[in-house]
Amino acid sequence: MVNKFKTVCLTAAIASSSATFAGGLLTNTNQHVAFNRMMSREASIGIDGVYYNPAGVVFMGEGSHLAINWQMAYQTRTIKNDYKLFTNNVNNPTTPRDFKGKAFAPVIPSFQYAYNKGRWSLQGNFALTGGGGKCTFDNGLGSFEKIVGETAMGAIGLAGAIDNALGAEMFTSDQAFGKKGSYSFNSYMHGRQYYFGLSAGAAYKVNDNFSVYAGLRGIYATCNYYGYVEDIKVGNMPLYQVLDPSKENSANIELSCDQSGIGFTPMLAVDYKTGRWNFSAKYEFKTRMRLKNKSVNQLPSIGNLDDNLKNQMNKVLTAKFMQAGLPQEQAMIKAEQTSTNVLADQTVVATTAGLKQQFDSKINKAIGEYADGKKIAGDIPSLLTVGVGYSPIDELHINVGFHWFDDYNATSYNNRNKLLKKRGTLEFNAGVEYDVTKKITVSTGWQNTNYGLTDKYMDDKSFVVGSNSVGVGGVYHITKKLDFSVAYFHTFYNHVKTSEEVTLAPGKTVTYNSDYTRNNNAFAAGVNITF
C-alpha cells in the first residue's frame, strides 16, 4: 500500500513545472515580443528572425541589430477528479474535487543579435528554449489523494484479516484503522524547470532572392523538484505506527531532486523572396539530453511490517490479559503466543506477503527517475517550421506558418514518448501586421496547437491539452534605428476528459474520472536597436 505513494510522488513533480509558453511538449517558441503580438513570424524579416527565420535576417540592412525582450507569464492548471473514495477524506469529504497548480514566471528575458555585412549575417540568440517557470500544487494532486484513499482501504483490509484471525476487534476498532477507510494527510508539490539556450550561426545570401543558414544551439537544463506526502492517518491511527512507531516521519514521502544536463541542437534554414512574397523553412535536429540527478529523498519502508504489527498486538494483548487477572509475565507470554499465531494465519500471511511483494517489485520503478546520481533521458524533439508571407501593399503584412514537433521520437524516461501518437505535435498560425503611420505598427495573430495525445499519456502528473492562442500588440518606431514593442497573448485551452476503472477488491470496482484544462496569460515588452 505504501509503494503506490512512491510512484505518484516521485513522478508527479516533472509535470509541475512544464513550459508556461507556446510550443511543443518541451519547446518554447515565443522568444521575441513580435511572436506575442503576431504569432506567425516564420516568414517575417526582422531581428526576431534570428530564432524564427534566421536565413531571412541576411536581407535586413547592413550593420548590427539587437533585440532585448522581457516577458511575464502566468498559468493555472486545473484537474477536476471524481472518485468515490474522496468522500472518505475526513478533512474534505467531497467529490468531484478541483486540484489547481499555479505557474508564474515574472522575468523571462531573451536577446537576439545579428551583424550583417555584404552577403553574410552572423547571428546569436539567448532565450529559454524549454521549461520556463515554476509551478506549485499547494494541496498535491488528485493522483496523490487517490492512492491515499486506496491505501486506507488496503489498511482496513489487512486490519480485518488480523482481527478475524484474532477473533476480537483490535485494528478495526474506532481507535485504530476502523472499518470505513477514512483518512487524512498533507501533501504539496513544487517544481522548477529551465532550459537555457544559446545559439550561434551564419546566414549567406546566395543571390538577391535566396539565402541559407546553419547554426548550433547549446542548451543547459536546470530543474528542481520538491514535494511530500506526510502525516498520513487511516481512521485514528497514524500510518507510521505500523511501519516504524519510533519515528513519526517513517511513513512520510519526501522528494528533493535537482537535475542538470547539457545538449546541442544543429539548425538549418532557407529563405526565398520574390516580389511581395516570402517563403521560409527551418529544421532543428533532435537534441539529445541526459539529466543527472542530485537527490536527497526520503522513502518509507515496509520491511518491518510483521514485527511492528506484532509489537502493536503484544502491547494491546498484554494489557488485556493483565486486566483479566493474569500476572504481567504470563500475560506477556500469552500475548506473544497469540500474536504469533495470528500473524501465521494463512489469510494474514497472504495479505502481508502480497503487500511486501508489490512493494519490492515496484520500488526500483518508483525511485528510478529521481535516484541520486542517475542520468535520465529528456530529449528535445526535432522541429520543422514553414512560413509564407505576403504584402499586398507596403503597409500590410500577412503571414501563415506551420510547426511540426517530432515528440514521438524524442526519448524520455522509460520511453514514455512512445505513448504519444506517431504524428507528433502540429501547430498552425496566422498573423497580420499593419503600419498605421510611420511611427505606429499594430498587429494580431492566432495559433492552434494540436498535440498527438493518447488516453494512456494523459494523467495529472504530466498533461497537456490542445489550445488556441491569440495575441495583440504594437510597435512604436521611436527613431529609424530604435523600436519599442508591447504585446499580450492569451491561450484558450481545450478540456480533455478521461475515465478509468479501479479494482479495489475482487468484484468491486469504482470509476476515477479526470477533466484536464489550463489557463495562460503572457505580457511582453522589448526594444529593437540598429547601430
Side-chain angles (χ1 to χ4, degrees), residues 75-80 99 101 458 463-466 491-497 514-519:
Q75 184 180 103
T76 59
R77 309 170 192 189
T78 303
I79 311 105
K80 183 185 291 290
F99 295 86
M458 291 295 296
F463 82 90
V464 292
V465 294
T491 302
F492 300 89
Y493 288 93
N494 300 332
H495 283 259
V496 175
K497 298 180 180 181
S514 302
D515 183 341
Y516 306 88
T517 192
R518 295 188 180 195
N519 184 60

Side-chain angles (χ1 to χ4, degrees), residues 293-334:
N293 295 341
K294 185 177 180 180
S295 309
V296 181
N297 302 325
Q298 177 185 324
L299 305 170
S301 173
I302 199 172
N304 295 324
L305 180 61
D306 284 327
D307 289 341
N308 289 325
L309 288 171
K310 188 174 183 179
N311 289 336
Q312 290 279 338
M313 294 178 66
N314 285 345
K315 292 179 182 178
V316 175
L317 291 173
T318 296
K320 179 179 179 181
F321 294 149
M322 289 179 64
Q323 290 177 357
L326 285 178
Q328 181 177 6
E329 183 175 352
Q330 294 183 18
M332 292 176 64
I333 294 173
K334 187 174 181 180

Side-chain angles (χ1 to χ4, degrees), residues 184-226:
S184 63
F185 71 109
N186 292 317
S187 181
Y188 172 86
M189 181 55 63
H190 172 85
R192 183 191 74 237
Q193 186 183 72
Y194 292 105
Y195 281 53
F196 298 100
L198 178 63
S199 65
Y204 178 72
K205 188 191 301 182
V206 178
N207 55 46
D208 291 341
N209 301 95
F210 182 67
S211 62
V212 296
Y213 168 89
L216 181 69
R217 179 187 299 124
I219 298 175
Y220 173 70
T222 174
C223 312
N224 169 265
Y225 308 113
Y226 175 76

Side-chain angles (χ1 to χ4, degrees), residues 56-83:
V57 175
V58 74
F59 291 114
M60 298 177 67
E62 289 198 351
S64 294
H65 306 272
L66 174 66
I68 303 172
N69 307 280
W70 162 84
Q71 294 187 54
M72 178 179 68
Y74 176 77
Q75 184 180 103
T76 59
R77 309 170 192 189
T78 303
I79 311 105
K80 183 185 291 290
N81 293 127
D82 187 7
Y83 195 42

Side-chain angles (χ1 to χ4, degrees), residues 4 81-86 142-143 145-151 153-154 358 498-514:
K4 293 183 178 181
N81 293 127
D82 187 7
Y83 195 42
K84 184 178 180 180
L85 294 188
F86 286 173
S143 55
E145 183 162 350
K146 173 177 179 290
I147 301 304
V148 173
E150 293 170 3
T151 298
M153 297 301 292
Q358 187 183 36
T498 62
S499 181
E500 64 172 300
E501 295 297 319
V502 179
T503 300
L504 298 178
K508 183 179 181 180
T509 61
V510 292
T511 302
Y512 181 70
N513 297 313
S514 302

Side-chain angles (χ1 to χ4, degrees), residues 462-500:
S462 180
F463 82 90
V464 292
V465 294
S467 64
N468 284 280
S469 299
V470 293
V472 63
V475 183
Y476 180 64
H477 308 284
I478 300 172
T479 69
K480 291 183 177 180
K481 295 187 176 183
L482 179 61
D483 294 337
F484 174 72
S485 300
V486 293
Y488 164 77
F489 89 77
H490 179 79
T491 302
F492 300 89
Y493 288 93
N494 300 332
H495 283 259
V496 175
K497 298 180 180 181
T498 62
S499 181
E500 64 172 300

Side-chain angles (χ1 to χ4, degrees), residues 154-170:
I156 65 171
L158 176 59
I162 292 175
D163 285 5
N164 285 337
L166 181 63
E169 188 178 82
M170 182 180 292

Side-chain angles (χ1 to χ4, degrees), residues 249-270:
N249 65 349
S250 61
N252 294 350
I253 303 108
E254 182 175 340
L255 168 68
S256 181
C257 177
D258 291 306
Q259 293 180 332
S260 61
I262 296 175
F264 297 93
T265 309
M267 300 173 290
L268 299 173
V270 296

